[in-house]
Structures are given as C-alpha cells and as structure tokens.
Amino acid sequence: MLPDAVAFVRSTEEVAALVRLCVAAEVPIIAFGAGTSLEGNVTPVKGGLTIDLSEMNAILEVNQEDFDCTVQAGVRREQLNEHLRDQGLFFPIDPGANATIGGMASTRASGTNAVRYGTMREAILSLRVVTPDGKVIRTARRARKSAAGYDLTRLMIGAEGTLGIITEITLRLHGIPEAISSAVCSFETLKGAVDTVVQSIQIGVPVARIEILDDAQVRACNAYSKLDYPEKTTLLFEFHGSERYVEEQVETVREIAGYNGGGEFLWSNLPEERNRLWKARHEAYYAAVNQRPGAVGWTTDVCVPISRLAECIVETKEDLATSSVPSTILGHVGDGNFHVIFAIDPKRPEEMIEVEALNDRIVARALAMDGTCTGEHGIGLGKQQFLVDELGDAVEMMRLIKRAIDPKDLFNPGKIFQL
Amino acid sequence: MTAPLPNFDRKPLPTGFLDEVRAVVGDRLGTGEAIRLQHGSS
C-alpha cells in the first residue's frame, strides 16, 4: 500500500494549498513525520498524496520564562532537547524512537518519563492545524489553562491525522533538574517489583522514570548491550530534583524495594552510568528481536490501572509460557503500561497467527481490568476492533465527528475506525 | 479480536493533479518507487 506521490512541504501555507488541491480532486491525504509509528498509522491504504513534514523542522520560539516553545511539526525530539539544553530546559516526552513532534502529537505518544511528566496530552498547550476545508486554525493560546470553548487541542491529539494536519505545536517545557540519579534493582518476583512501584507512587515519591524488564528481557539486554545484570525481573529508575531531594527519593525507594524482596539497589548520579542504562533500555526492542536471527519484531501495548498491573503481567507471562514464539516483557510500569515484544520467524506464518491470538488475549485481559488496548501507540490499522471492544458506542460519536469535519473521508482514510 | 482489514478502494489520481501539486512544492514532489516505498508503511 503505497502513496501515489510524496510532497515534502516547508510551510503551513504549502500544506494548506495541498489540502485544498486534494479536497477539490478528492485525493486521500496522509501526513507523515519520521515513520516510526507502530500500528500502520501512516499507511496510505487508498493511495493518494503523502505529505512529508520532515523538512518543517524549525524551532520557532522558546519562551524561557514561560517554560514553553513552539516548533514546526517535523522537529524531532532529540533535536529539540539539544536546542533547549543551553537554556536549562528540556522536553520530557521520550517514546524511545527519535520521532517528530507532529507524529508524537498525532499518536498521543508518551514513553519512559510519563509517570512524572505526563504524555503528549499534557505536554501540548496549542496546535496549528490545517483543517479539511483548507483553513489554518490555532486551537488555543499559550496560557497554561483555558476554559474557552471546546478543547480542540485534545481533539486533534491522537487523531492520527484523520481530522486535519498538525503543522505547529506549542509545548510545555521543564527545567533541567539540578540532580539526576538512576538506579537498578532486580527482584525475586514480578509482584515484588510491581508492589515497589505502587508503594513508591502511593507515598508520593515523584519518580521520573520507572521501567520494568522481565527476566527474558534482561537476558536479551545483557547480551545485546554488554551488561551483566541478574537475569530476574528488574526495575530501572530515574530520580530528578535537588541533590538532597534526589538522595531522599533514592533512599525511600531503596527501603521499599528491600521490603518487597529487591536485591542490591545499584544507583548512580554519574551521567555516563545513567546514559549507559537508558541506552540499553532504548535498545531493548532490538535486543529482544536480535535474540533470534532473522526474526522480525511485533509489539503489544496494553495499559491497565496500576493496581491491576501485577496481576495482568503475571497472567500474561503464564500465557506466553505456552507459546513457541520467543517473547519478552518490558513496560512503563509507573503508568500501568507494558509491552510484549515477540521475535517472529517471518518464514513461519503460523507464528503470526499464534501471536495475534496471544495479543487478543492480552487485550481482552487488559479490558477486563478496565484498561486500554493501547497506552501509547495508537489505533492505526491494527487495533480497530479492539477500539470497539473498549469504547463501544463512543466510537459512533468519533465517526460523527469525523464525518462532520472530513465529510469526504480524505484525511488518512481507513485509520482508527471504518466509516 | 484482531479483525481482518477491508479491501480499500483505490482510485487513480485525476489527470493534471500532480502538475498542480508540483506548482506548489516544485521539485519537492516524489513519485519514484523508492520514495513511495519509504512512505508506504510504519
């Protein structure tokens, strides 16, 4: 499923002109950022014109005193953080991939920092959007809060380009913390690890990142990233704040971990140690897939209320143990969001069938716990039936909105739901 | 459950459409197979 053509745009005005052409000619129009999404979110199922926004990569303004900035949609998150570093600011949303800010907005992305700093839903103050009638709108001003009418910003975030094309984003920023420490702790049981997370959050420790890796994922990371962590369920932490406050956080979580069967609590405030740890975390997907030569990766994305997380992961792990397809579990455990990464042999189509059945059960388990089929990847093509299972008649209201805004179904058609 | 996707209708571009797009973005319009493949999935 390829587009008929790809236009590399450089301004909102060019996007608006192309939108008007496409609507007049009834040609499908698909916005494209870095192409790092995971659910077929930008696959042009009806062909048409793909609008590549990667050349709209200017950081338009940084308001240091207001802790915000405005960027074009093609700016990548690493580029933004390099630009902000000298001003003592940072943009915390980190999905792992060096995605574009526009793509992250369109899929309502999040990542390892969400437990402390939220997701793209919280990070965005305002959007500039080219609507299907070719107009350019701004969904809000830079004010930190507003009660001005319908919240069009939140309507566009996660809409996957089905309601318009986001060309500029105004983002909340944060001050770079005075001190940052990272820590690693392995656990005898998965429940002990998850209980450590729940109890740390319950008593108000503002942990900046808490990631969980199951024993299989630790084994894969050790091999891929040349580490030597115990091959047990492991938590990775990061703490932000003043020197003294970070030390307090580390000490509190160390005690909680010990109480829950945690082993040695290895922590460091050295940047090189921290970078080594998070580099390994960001390579976890490749580590998981690399365990099996020639394999391709396939990942799930459920999220449950944190009180149900241990139960959900334990049941999932029992289910995975019955499968012949190698898999690992890792997740943003502070949010209740976890991923299973399958390493599938592409020459064995029966493995894909098996993995889809496993994923069906993972999603059904999460929904039964009042969770969601997607914590951060979006619906795209792959999760449309799950969306109906999750939200029922609410999907019909989404269809009404889509029909009202894009009556010819030209904006990224076939995504999220079928009209 | 993971449901099969429908067959999507695909229509050819209208005559002259690409010329109109080229008038907006000039040579920043790609129609070659490599560039289309690069933008064909995610």
Side-chain angles (χ1 to χ4, degrees):
Chain A
M1 288 187 269
L2 306 183
D4 291 290
V6 181
F8 292 83
V9 292
R10 290 184 180 161
S11 69
T12 298
E13 291 69 31
E14 285 186 354
V15 175
L18 295 181
V19 163
R20 287 191 285 270
L21 287 177
C22 285
V23 171
E26 300 195 2
V27 171
I29 186 165
I30 301 97
F32 188 100
T36 54
S37 57
L38 293 166
E39 292 293 343
N41 312 63
V42 294
T43 302
V45 294
K46 293 185 176 181
L49 182 68
T50 287
I51 294 191
D52 186 314
L53 293 120
S54 60
E55 293 185 21
M56 283 186 68
N57 59 0
I59 296 165
L60 300 172
E61 65 175 18
V62 178
N63 299 296
Q64 198 171 2
E65 293 180 347
D66 292 328
F67 292 87
D68 69 47
C69 69
T70 298
V71 302
Q72 289 186 313
V75 167
R76 296 197 182 214
R77 66 171 187 86
E78 289 179 5
Q79 172 198 353
L80 177 59
N81 275 322
E82 280 169 26
H83 181 88
L84 294 171
R85 190 173 301 135
D86 289 346
Q87 300 176 68
L89 298 170
F90 82 112
F91 171 64
I93 313 299
D94 174 9
N98 190 17
T100 62
I101 303 298
M104 290 168 65
S106 291
T107 54
R108 205 183 295 133
S110 54
T112 56
N113 278 317
V115 63
R116 168 86 179 259
Y117 297 99
T119 71
M120 286 302 278
R121 185 177 57 188
E122 289 78 33
I124 294 176
L125 290 170
S126 172
L127 297 168
R128 188 173 296 278
V129 178
V130 179
T131 60
D133 57 4
K135 289 181 180 163
V136 179
I137 63 166
R138 190 178 176 200
T139 59
R141 301 294 181 99
R142 285 196 298 121
R144 284 282 160 149
K145 64 180 190 179
S146 169
Y150 291 172
D151 191 342
L152 299 181
T153 308
R154 301 302 172 281
L155 179 62
M156 293 294 170
I157 297 170
E160 302 186 19
T162 61
L163 300 177
I165 296 182
I166 296 168
T167 60
E168 293 177 16
I169 305 101
T170 299
L171 298 163
R172 289 172 191 259
L173 302 174
H174 297 265
I176 295 174
E178 176 191 321
I180 303 175
S181 287
S182 57
V184 183
C185 186
S186 57
F187 291 79
E188 292 301 325
T189 65
L190 196 143
K191 186 173 183 308
V194 175
D195 284 349
T196 297
V197 173
V198 172
Q199 290 163 20
S200 297
I201 293 171
Q202 276 175 342
I203 67 165
V205 181
V207 186
R209 306 191 206 213
I210 316 178
E211 298 286 296
I212 194 167
L213 283 63
D214 76 346
D215 52 344
Q217 183 64 62
V218 175
R219 194 174 308 122
C221 287
N222 279 347
Y224 190 84
S225 300
K226 310 288 183 281
L227 303 171
D228 57 357
Y229 295 131
E231 292 176 0
K232 299 175 179 175
T233 300
T234 298
L235 292 179
L236 314 181
F237 300 90
E238 188 166 283
F239 304 94
H240 293 179
S242 65
E243 299 273 2
R244 189 171 157 196
Y245 190 34
V246 163
E247 282 181 21
E248 277 179 24
Q249 293 177 57
V250 168
E251 197 48 47
T252 303
V253 176
R254 184 210 304 265
E255 279 183 28
I256 294 170
Y259 179 78
N260 286 300
E264 191 177 6
F265 197 86
L266 300 165
W267 75 279
S268 172
N269 52 15
L270 297 174
E272 54 270 31
E273 280 293 313
R274 191 172 75 242
N275 291 341
R276 183 167 167 256
L277 179 70
W278 294 112
K279 182 170 179 287
R281 167 61 187 88
H282 281 148
E283 290 172 345
Y285 173 85
Y286 304 103
V289 178
N290 199 56
Q291 293 182 101
R292 193 180 191 193
V296 294
W298 200 90
T299 181
T300 69
D301 180 35
V302 296
C303 185
V304 295
I306 194 168
S307 63
R308 307 297 299 272
L309 183 62
E311 183 185 358
C312 193
I313 295 181
V314 167
E315 288 181 17
T316 297
K317 208 159 165 54
E318 288 169 1
D319 201 10
L320 294 175
T322 67
S323 169
S324 63
V325 182
S327 61
T328 64
I329 293 178
L330 75 166
H332 317 303
V333 67
D335 311 319
N337 183 198
F338 72 92
H339 308 292
V340 178
I341 302 173
F342 294 99
I344 301 170
D345 182 345
K347 294 177 187 153
R348 293 169 54 92
E350 65 273 21
E351 289 195 2
M352 194 64 226
I353 294 167
E354 186 181 346
V355 164
E356 285 186 355
L358 283 161
N359 185 44
D360 287 351
R361 295 198 290 276
I362 292 169
V363 172
R365 193 174 298 121
L367 296 186
M369 296 178 180
D370 211 12
T372 176
C373 65
T374 174
E376 55 187 8
H377 296 168
I379 298 294
L381 286 170
K383 293 202 166 90
Q384 298 190 5
Q385 182 55 46
F386 297 142
L387 178 71
V388 175
D389 297 343
E390 181 172 329
L391 295 176
D393 287 344
V395 179
E396 189 51 41
M397 182 171 279
M398 293 185 196
R399 289 194 180 96
L400 287 171
I401 292 168
K402 169 73 171 172
R403 288 191 190 106
I405 294 176
D406 178 23
K408 294 180 178 176
D409 188 23
L410 297 175
F411 278 67
N412 203 10
K415 307 301 162 49
I416 304 180
F417 44 73
Q418 301 304 308
L419 277 179
Chain B
M1 59 179 282
T2 308
L5 291 168
N7 290 322
F8 293 101
D9 291 337
R10 184 173 182 135
K11 297 176 187 165
L13 294 179
T15 307
F17 175 76
L18 290 179
D19 291 335
E20 291 182 291
V21 173
R22 197 170 282 111
V24 175
V25 297
D27 61 4
R28 288 178 279 120
L29 175 67
T31 56
E33 190 177 1
I35 204 82
R36 291 165 57 231
L37 275 170
Q38 192 182 28
H39 292 77
S41 62
S42 68

